[in-house]
Amino acid sequence: MSDPEKTSLWQGFKAFLMRGNVVDLAVAVVIGAAFTNIVNSVVKGVINPLVGAFGTQNLDSYTSCLKGPCEGTGDAATGVRILWGSVLGATLQFLITAAVVYFLMVLPMAKYLARVEARRKAKEGAHEIVEVTELEVLKDIRDALLAQRAQGEGSGPGADGGSGRTGDGGR
């Protein structure tokens, strides 16, 4: 590959990486990975003990035997088991994650953006009111000038008893 092609490839790759979407996605993945640890800790430290108050702390131990004999645990287990406890645990983990993301990130951001938009519209509305007021004043000035011109043309020069000049009447 020639040097201009390397430069072009490098510049294209750099431009791709510097796009806002790529950087945003990378940050989201890193934050998501860190957030997963928090959610896992909450599920294992809070939710599982609460569920354990009614049964067992380990949701993975909730199983049903589809085809017996279901004996043993782990690799030594016999029969066909449905591990609905692990599905329940994953579902709870998903719901907790979704709730935390919604209530701590999405909802506050939506409220903030709504406030910003309301402020922008209020400023825009105030600007329109000022423009309307200025427009009304300009229309009044135009109407007054037109009325003055019409009054001046309709009565002609000297309609007020003079020639329109000051002094001795033009002598």
Side-chain angles (χ1 to χ4, degrees), residues 60-150:
D60 293 338
S61 66
Y62 289 115
T63 63
S64 295
C65 186
L66 190 61
K67 182 178 178 186
C70 290
E71 298 173 355
T73 59
D75 293 335
T78 60
V80 178
R81 295 177 189 240
I82 296 177
L83 305 174
W84 61 271
S86 61
V87 173
L88 178 63
T91 303
L92 285 173
Q93 188 170 349
F94 170 76
L95 290 174
I96 291 169
T97 303
V100 169
V101 166
Y102 180 75
F103 290 113
L104 295 182
M105 293 181 197
V106 173
L107 193 60
M109 183 57 79
K111 287 183 179 181
Y112 171 74
L113 292 175
R115 277 186 285 172
V116 167
E117 182 67 18
R119 285 184 195 145
R120 186 189 64 77
K121 285 186 178 181
K123 282 183 180 179
E124 188 176 285
H127 184 67
E128 286 177 6
I129 290 171
V130 168
E131 286 180 4
V132 168
T133 304
E134 289 175 0
L135 184 61
E136 289 175 358
V137 169
L138 290 173
K139 284 181 181 179
D140 290 343
I141 292 170
R142 180 201 62 199
D143 292 344
L145 289 172
L146 288 175
Q148 189 179 24
R149 183 181 298 162

Side-chain angles (χ1 to χ4, degrees), residues 8-24:
S8 176
L9 284 174
W10 178 249
Q11 288 175 345
F13 182 66
K14 196 164 86 174
F16 168 74
L17 289 179
M18 290 299 142
R19 281 188 196 162
N21 294 345
V22 174
V23 174
D24 290 344

Side-chain angles (χ1 to χ4, degrees), residues 5 9 16 18 26 28 30-31 36 44 47 52 74 76 89 108 126 129 135 143 145 150 155 158 162 166:
E5 287 179 16
L9 284 174
F16 168 74
M18 290 299 142
V30 170
I31 295 296
T36 299
K44 289 179 184 173
I47 302 299
I129 290 171
L135 184 61
D143 292 344
L145 289 172
S155 58
T166 58

